[in-house]
Amino acid sequence: MTHIVEIKLKQWFDGKQNILCLTGAGISTDSGIPDYRGHKGSYHKGHKPMIHDQFINSHAMRQRYWGRSMMGWKEFAQKLPNDGHYALAELERMGKIGVAYKDSEEYYKPGDEDAELKWAFTNGSESRTMSIITQNVDGLHRKGGSDSTHITELHGRNDRLVCMTCGSFQCRHQFHDQLDDLNSAWVDRVRVEQDLQTQMQASSTSSSEENLRPDGDAYVARDSFDEIDVPSCSSCNLGNGGSMHLGQPITERSKQLGNHSFLKPDVVFFGDSVPKYQVNRCYAAVNACDGLLCIGSSLAVHSAYRFVNHAAENGIPIAILNVGETRAEVNKLDVLKIESPAGPTLSALASLYASEEK
């Protein structure tokens, strides 16, 4: 059955050749990942995210983060794409979304090539395509079939770690295997404590999904995490001949390493800034598009809202698919607002176009 919302969205799509999508946490809530600012979001429950400076400057805060991550990350990493992610991948396959823009050295981190996502500087001799700018760090657009080279993960990716000393990348799954091995006794104790807490409560509000946070960590009902042993960067350790690992207890190594050779999720924590080269790349795609579709985002944070505001200032049509008021509406931008859940609406839109292909 066709509903008015997808027809309305299709009418906005029709006649446009270069639509760019900007997605937020609202597209992933149907996958079981909580958002921050939605009407049932993490903020409304009193949850506080990790702050960049706290993580960088405090070994104790890193212990807290990794302790909580041991209780939430694997569940977070197992989340699967939903209808909204699959629909965007299908719309891209149909050529309904995607923007070509001229490549530039300004769109890449100096001296770095991200070979995994095939973002290699082309000396301006080729155009690049962008279909999705996402604020999400969950990787579900990639898992859902969207071309990874056409996605800009504005706030980074939570499945990868970066060393704050040497800059090397490491797989978070492998890191967590090591983290779990080093802290197995602590994890067992916390799980027993959480099971007891759940049994003492009449409701199910302390279920694992309820405790999960948008960052991939989880609520743990304890104040001290000083028992947590956090692995250091394997690349730095190899470069040092592994000397920190010889004949020393793990806890002693952690104390000696302190603020050196520690790993951080390759994401933009609160209080940090999106790299300038990524911002430049996104502005280039916005300038080249003939329509900007915002999906599942309140647009509350400047890192995403600036692209919407830029589109409005340059007369680029904007449509917003979201449940709840957004910053664009509060600021009286000229937008088409479609008050509807992302997944079902995008899926229905893709079905409408698929029926036309037959």
Side-chain angles (χ1 to χ4, degrees):
M1 180 179 178
T2 303
H3 298 90
I4 191 169
V5 289
E6 52 261 31
I7 293 175
K8 192 175 180 181
L9 185 55
K10 184 177 181 297
Q11 289 173 341
W12 182 85
F13 261 73
D14 288 344
K16 296 180 175 65
Q17 303 297 319
N18 299 283
I19 293 176
L20 179 65
C21 297
L22 171 63
T23 68
I27 197 171
S28 293
T29 52
D30 284 349
S31 294
I33 296 177
D35 60 4
Y36 277 116
R37 296 177 177 83
H39 60 292
K40 296 181 180 179
S42 192
Y43 275 163
H44 293 285
K45 300 173 184 177
H47 302 168
K48 295 180 180 180
M50 173 56 67
I51 304 300
H52 176 79
D53 285 351
Q54 292 177 337
F55 190 94
I56 295 297
N57 297 320
S58 171
H59 181 64
M61 291 303 293
R62 292 195 291 274
Q63 287 178 303
R64 177 180 179 271
Y65 177 82
W66 291 120
R68 290 160 59 108
S69 289
M70 281 190 287
M71 310 310 297
W73 160 251
K74 290 188 175 179
E75 181 180 353
F76 180 93
Q78 290 170 357
K79 298 299 184 183
L80 299 174
N82 61 57
D83 288 347
H85 301 104
Y86 292 126
L88 285 181
E90 183 64 12
L91 289 168
E92 181 181 32
R93 185 196 67 77
M94 296 176 181
K96 301 302 179 182
I97 64 173
V99 178
Y101 60 97
K102 188 177 180 181
D103 208 1
S104 169
E105 190 174 8
E106 295 180 355
Y107 309 153
Y108 300 92
K109 184 178 180 179
D112 179 61
E113 292 183 359
D114 193 341
E116 185 177 353
L117 296 183
K118 301 178 182 178
W119 282 108
F121 178 49
T122 61
N123 296 317
S125 61
E126 297 179 13
S127 64
R128 287 295 185 189
T129 299
M130 191 184 302
S131 298
I132 299 169
I133 302 170
T134 184
Q135 299 170 256
N136 302 337
V137 299
D138 52 39
L140 292 183
H141 285 301
R142 285 183 278 115
K143 291 181 181 179
S146 291
D147 189 327
S148 61
T149 65
H150 299 168
I151 303 168
T152 291
E153 293 170 301
L154 193 64
H155 295 154
R157 46 188 294 185
N158 221 351
D159 62 349
R160 184 169 69 180
L161 307 180
V162 59
C163 175
M164 293 290 97
T165 298
C166 72
S168 65
F169 291 121
Q170 297 187 28
C171 172
R172 184 162 181 173
H173 295 279
Q174 294 175 356
F175 176 85
H176 267 274
D177 288 342
Q178 186 180 7
L179 189 66
D180 289 345
D181 287 343
L182 293 176
N183 299 280
S184 57
W186 184 90
V187 171
D188 290 342
R189 288 199 303 274
V190 170
R191 284 180 177 153
V192 169
E193 292 169 2
Q194 290 185 326
D195 288 345
L196 289 173
Q197 183 184 24
T198 300
Q199 293 170 13
M200 291 172 62
Q201 294 183 357
S203 69
S204 61
T205 55
S206 62
S207 68
S208 61
E209 186 158 305
E210 184 71 18
N211 288 333
L212 190 65
R213 299 293 190 261
D215 287 334
D217 57 343
Y219 172 72
V220 176
R222 56 168 53 204
D223 296 324
S224 176
F225 294 83
D226 57 6
E227 299 174 60
I228 301 296
D229 288 314
V230 183
S232 57
C233 172
S234 58
S235 297
C236 287
N237 288 333
L238 288 172
N240 291 329
S243 59
M244 273 292 181
H245 286 249
L246 298 177
Q248 290 180 299
I250 297 296
T251 50
E252 184 63 25
R253 290 208 306 270
S254 295
K255 291 177 182 177
Q256 287 192 27
L257 284 167
N259 289 332
H260 301 288
S261 299
F262 66 86
L263 295 162
K264 171 185 170 294
D266 190 22
V267 301
V268 178
F269 280 138
F270 279 76
D272 195 10
S273 299
V274 177
K276 190 174 187 296
Y277 64 90
Q278 290 234 98
V279 175
N280 292 339
R281 184 193 303 164
C282 293
Y283 272 129
V286 173
N287 287 334
C289 79
D290 58 8
L292 180 62
L293 174 61
C294 306
I295 304 165
S297 176
S298 66
L299 302 174
V301 296
H302 172 70
S303 60
Y305 177 73
R306 58 183 153 195
F307 302 122
V308 181
N309 190 60
H310 181 78
E313 289 177 346
N314 287 275
I316 297 169
I318 302 166
I320 295 178
L321 174 61
N322 191 61
V323 176
E325 190 175 49
T326 71
R327 186 174 177 180
E329 296 153 82
V330 171
N331 291 344
K332 309 299 183 184
L333 299 189
D334 183 13
V335 302
L336 170 67
K337 174 63 183 298
I338 297 176
E339 186 86 13
S340 184
T345 307
L346 291 172
S347 185
L349 176 66
S351 295
L352 282 176
Y353 278 118
S355 67
E356 292 183 354
E357 288 186 345
K358 295 178 180 179

